[in-house]
Amino acid sequence: MYARPLFVVVGIFRAFSSEAGSGSDPAAATDLPTPGRHQVDFATFSVSGHLVPEARLGMSGGCGYTLAIMNAVIKPGPETPSQAGLPELSVVVPTFNERDNVTVLYRRLEATLSGIAWEVVFVDDNSPDGTWEVVRGLARKDSRVRCVRRIGRRGLSGACIEGILASSGPYAAVIDADLQHDETQLPKMVALLRSGEAELVVGSRYIEGGSADSFNKQRAGASQLATEVARRVLKVEVADPMSGFFMIRRDRFEQLAPQLSTQGFKILLDVIATAQGKLRAVEIPYTFGSRQHGESKLDSMVALDFLGLVLAKLTHDVVSLRFLLFAMVGGTGLVVHLVTLFIALEIFKEPFAEAQAAGALVAMTSNFILNNFLTYRDQRLKGFAILRGLLLFYLVCGVGLLANVGVAFAVFDQEPIWWLAGLAGALMGVVWNYAMSGLFVWRKR
Ligand code: GDD
Ligand code: MN
């Protein structure tokens, strides 16, 4: 009941005491909100009709103004949002099985960001170790902490994108939960964005002053090879585009977000490649530390993710790695089919029809297993779901075969060129199988 008068008084106080943002603030220059910068604008009031005619109210001078402000405060329009305590920096932390790391990271953020209005969004893919429970516990004690718990999904890039889009600070940072990134660099990164010197700040291991000594030889080699490929093929200028540690202006990120891939690990590379040189980037060195608890989720399969991203960016998103993998698996299926057919005919002396059916069944099964481990490894079916998925896959491929033969016949009817008809049929089959498998077998929840 006292809330409204109190709100009015606070509003009047803020109206007369708020300060304008500093002239060099890039956020101010581009209409990005900065906490504490907003002013009550008398001109806006009169234009938008908030200024009450004093004669009608029978009040004099100053009182009229006061009432006008009260009116505006009681009915806050879009021009007068309450900005008290709004974060300037949103820190996004992707997590998967990081139970023992998140509290330490939170404390470190609290210590290092004491001069900045910040918030942290943990995006957890329903970690079996219950990381999200620990984060919820932190969030219950500190409203700057939030937890997005994603169910039925995996993927570092997707998690980062969702975290950034679920927050609103004018600057967004991405940092790993496992304390391998150096969070004490964050204030420096904010300063670079604030000054307008950069739109993207990259924590870099590969410029002077930075290092990745904690990498083993194999990992260091792979990382450097990928960096070289990215720099040459995608014309990326940054020294460490594989870094998982960066900060970006929200407005720039929101522009790029619809074109970013949610699959894979390489969100920074994706951001830089998608911006096509139109993002002012500055790198600052840091030392990639070693993991304290838990283990790395990067396996040798990330090489595939990397290839997929390079391919997608090179072809302007026409070719997706998933489709390519699916088609390649289909190619191996053909070999498996022929080998099985040969064995059934020559060794088991089966009649052709049975041998051919056996070939198809074995090929479909091996395709299913390969797709489950490669093409859809982020949505891998496990346990009982494997059997259900396999039966559905047989069904999808069965219908795909009908579509294949149907199209081949139709083409052959028009143009009796055997390889053209065969190719058209095979293409129809693989596109059908791909589309339907994605819908029914490895469907997103
Ligand atoms: N939500 C979510 N979903 N988080 C994930 C997933 C996932 O599928 N996979 C990994 N993470 C989280 C981890 O919990 C960790 O906080 C962070 O992402 C990095 O994962 P690590 O498994 O620790 O990766 P890394 O240390 O081997 O690799 C790091 O360094 C690379 C540079 O070589 C990452 O920062 C990479 O992004 C970076 O490219
Ligand atoms: Mn790590």
Side-chain angles (χ1 to χ4, degrees), residues 310-320:
V310 172
L311 197 81
K313 290 297 139 189
L314 271 182
T315 58
H316 293 275
D317 291 310
V318 173
V319 177
S320 92

Side-chain angles (χ1 to χ4, degrees), residues 16 80 134 206 348 418:
F16 286 106
T80 59
V134 181
Y206 303 137
F348 292 98
W418 66 268

Side-chain angles (χ1 to χ4, degrees), residues 98 176 178 180-181 219 288 291 295-297:
E98 304 287 3
D176 288 355
D178 56 8
Q180 289 189 284
H181 294 160
R219 177 86 195 256
F288 191 75
R291 208 176 229 283
E295 52 195 43
S296 167
K297 280 100 218 168

Side-chain angles (χ1 to χ4, degrees), residues 37-52:
R37 179 184 148 256
H38 197 84
Q39 272 194 310
V40 174
D41 181 348
F42 294 107
T44 323
F45 285 165
S46 39
V47 172
S48 56
H50 289 290
L51 197 60
V52 187

Side-chain angles (χ1 to χ4, degrees), residues 154-166:
R154 274 297 302 273
L156 178 51
S157 289
C160 296
I161 294 171
E162 247 170 80
I164 298 179
L165 296 182

